[in-house]
Amino acid sequence: MALFKPKFITFDCYGTLINFDMAGAAQAAFADRVSEAEMPAFTRDFAAYRLDEVLGAWKPYDQVVSNALRRTCKKWQVEYSPRDGDAVYTACATWGPHPDVPAGLAKVAEAFPLVLLTNSMNDLITHHVPRLGAPIHMTITAEEVGAYKPQMKGFEYMLDKLGCGPDEILHVSSSLRYDLMTAHDLGITHKVFVARGHEPSTPYYGYTEIQDIGGLAAVVGL
């Protein structure tokens, strides 16, 4: 079988490339109100509410964060202040890439144009792209699309903008729920799951699994 050579390699950014430490930001903000023992469950609920928030109509990501925090605090009967949402959202701009990312991306960028499809704001993503260590051909944000993943609209918008069919790209993500399930439903046949421990592997969705971005070069024959 001939090795698949995509026209573009497309990526989720936060979690896959950038070390998305929303749990750490929430822990710092709520350490005075949530015990160390309860914090893992508190941050899991925060993640679940963020997912629920992005399934509706588009709104700025700071509102996604603040709404999800407010709902989490209501469930936990913990006091919430708008300052908490501001602190967690502000922390987002400080995050850098996973250690394996700069070298791994630079290797594949020698042969393929790289594209980001990210649940980000236009101004927020500018903090992160320069830290990736490789040239990015195109960055598409949820703000540009007017919808967040896992909604299909972002993928459809990206394919239209790239002039590609779903069988002509390779999409890379560490999240099944935000990316790879939707990619599967849209007929994106070539997918890579980066097993960063966010979610369990589910081979039904038809991807190649790698442990970090350093493994991507071998997937595309480099």
Side-chain angles (χ1 to χ4, degrees):
M1 182 180 295
L3 186 70
F4 175 63
K5 294 290 186 179
K7 288 185 176 180
F8 300 93
I9 303 180
T10 63
F11 294 85
D12 166 61
C13 186
Y14 298 119
T16 303
L17 304 179
I18 294 293
N19 185 11
F20 185 78
D21 191 20
M22 195 68 84
Q27 181 174 351
F30 287 91
D32 61 336
R33 282 158 283 173
V34 179
S35 71
E36 184 177 353
E38 292 178 323
M39 189 63 75
F42 181 86
T43 57
R44 282 195 298 272
D45 284 345
F46 177 34
Y49 282 122
R50 289 198 311 276
L51 176 60
D52 190 64
E53 285 288 329
V54 300
L55 295 177
W58 185 87
K59 51 186 168 285
Y61 197 67
D62 62 330
Q63 294 181 24
V64 171
V65 171
S66 61
N67 289 354
L69 276 176
R70 188 179 297 108
R71 295 168 72 186
T72 304
C73 288
K74 180 180 178 181
K75 178 178 179 180
W76 282 78
Q77 298 183 332
V78 169
E79 181 184 356
Y80 173 79
S81 165
R83 293 190 301 274
D84 299 319
D86 292 343
V88 172
Y89 183 72
T90 298
C92 298
T94 68
W95 299 332
H98 292 287
D100 54 277
V101 165
L105 277 189
K107 178 67 174 178
V108 294
E110 295 173 359
F112 302 96
L114 311 184
V115 175
L116 304 181
L117 177 63
T118 172
N119 276 1
S120 190
M121 300 290 290
N122 295 340
D123 58 349
L124 182 59
I125 195 65
T126 61
H127 295 281
H128 299 113
V129 172
R131 300 172 187 165
L132 295 176
I136 302 300
H137 172 75
M138 183 184 295
T139 300
I140 299 171
T141 67
E143 182 177 4
E144 178 181 347
V145 174
Y148 291 102
K149 298 177 295 181
Q151 296 184 52
M152 291 182 174
K153 187 176 178 180
F155 287 94
E156 293 171 317
Y157 181 95
M158 178 179 70
L159 292 171
D160 286 345
K161 197 165 184 179
L162 295 175
C164 285
D167 58 340
E168 295 179 298
I169 66 168
L170 174 68
H171 189 68
V172 181
S173 179
S174 63
S175 176
L176 277 84
R177 295 184 78 180
Y178 275 92
D179 280 79
L180 297 180
M181 291 180 179
T182 304
H184 172 271
D185 291 344
L186 284 170
I188 297 174
T189 53
H190 302 284
K191 300 179 290 296
V192 168
F193 176 54
V194 186
R196 296 209 184 273
H198 311 315
E199 300 167 16
S201 181
T202 309
Y204 169 82
Y205 292 99
Y207 48 73
T208 299
E209 184 171 330
I210 59 177
Q211 297 306 302
D212 57 45
I213 297 299
L216 185 57
V219 175
V220 291
L222 299 178

